[in-house]
Amino acid sequence: MSKVVYVATRVSSVPRDDAIDGVNEITVIGPSATDVSAAQRLIEVDAAALSPTVQKLVDVLWKSVAGRTLVRITPADRSRRFFAAVRRTRGIVAAIRDADVIVAADRDALWATWNLARAAHGPAAVYGVSAAKFALKNA
């Protein structure tokens, strides 16, 4: 049996309980609105929302490659804001220290997942459920 930690910036990104066979403990690190089942534990992370004006600018910039690149290097980037919120949340590193795999459930959770795996010194960090299955099978 193993322990899996999902890191998700969006509520819809959290997979079902039976997504990976043989898992006895599932922890979800994500928004407070995430609906988790009885078999899952939620560590709530609330990233600060952008002001409506900045959000409109980000939406306009996101329509081009150069604009997306510009957004990615600014503090308005969703993954940077999520990682900052994860860093502010107490107890996350302790919760993932004995995990077998940390799974980034969506693109904006990649940066936080990679940094959590580095901080925990041990668990594999992967992107997606199929990569998590492979990592657990070959661990």
Side-chain angles (χ1 to χ4, degrees), residues 132-139:
K133 290 178 185 178
F134 182 81
L136 286 172
K137 187 183 295 184
N138 296 321

Side-chain angles (χ1 to χ4, degrees), residues 15-115:
R16 299 183 327 263
D17 291 344
D18 59 351
I20 303 173
D21 295 330
V23 175
N24 63 346
E25 188 175 340
I26 299 170
T27 303
V28 178
I29 298 172
S32 57
T34 306
D35 184 32
V36 296
S37 68
Q40 297 175 332
R41 184 178 129 211
L42 175 66
I43 298 177
E44 295 179 7
V45 174
D46 287 318
L50 293 173
S51 70
T53 307
V54 174
Q55 186 61 52
K56 286 180 186 177
L57 178 62
V58 167
D59 291 343
V60 169
L61 288 171
W62 204 257
K63 294 178 183 177
S64 70
V65 174
R68 285 190 296 274
T69 303
L70 182 63
V71 169
R72 285 284 184 206
I73 62 172
T74 65
D77 178 38
R78 184 183 185 129
S79 62
R80 287 178 189 262
R81 288 184 291 123
F82 181 71
F83 177 59
V86 166
R87 285 181 41 191
R88 287 189 304 268
T89 306
R90 294 190 178 273
I92 287 184
V93 174
I96 64 169
R97 194 151 281 155
D98 60 340
D100 296 310
V101 176
I102 303 172
V103 182
D106 54 59
R107 185 203 60 199
D108 289 328
L110 286 170
W111 182 247
T113 302
W114 181 72
N115 281 294

